Amino acid sequence: FKFDAQALATKREQLGLSQQAMATLLEASTLSVSRWESGKAAPRAAQLERIQAVLKIGKREAKARLLG
């Protein structure tokens, strides 16, 4: 899996999430999500796994994870 900053930003928009909500889903800080999306930083291996998993979910599952 190769990290794609644009794919992360696009997925977040498709899910209708703020960077803060996406950070919660990814168990990361809002600053990290912002830096990843802007290409200023690259996620570490453990975070890449979480990002890959989140890229595969839909709106319902994202909301369920955030509420649960």
Side-chain angles (χ1 to χ4, degrees), residues 3 5 8-9 12 17-41 43 47 51:
F3 176 69
L8 181 61
R12 181 175 61 77
L17 300 176
S18 63
Q19 286 184 335
Q20 186 174 6
M22 181 59 94
T24 301
L25 273 182
L26 295 172
E27 299 172 35
S29 70
T30 306
L31 179 62
S32 290
V33 172
S34 173
R35 291 173 57 96
W36 296 337
E37 287 186 0
S38 67
K40 292 181 181 164
Q47 294 158 325
I51 290 169

Side-chain angles (χ1 to χ4, degrees), residues 1 6-7 9 15 17 20-21 27-28 30 34 38 40-41 46-48 50 52-53 55 63 65:
F1 172 70
Q6 186 59 50
L15 294 174
L17 300 176
Q20 186 174 6
E27 299 172 35
T30 306
S34 173
S38 67
K40 292 181 181 164
Q47 294 158 325
L48 277 175
R50 287 192 219 111
Q52 192 172 10
L55 288 176
K63 299 253 187 287
R65 287 185 188 190

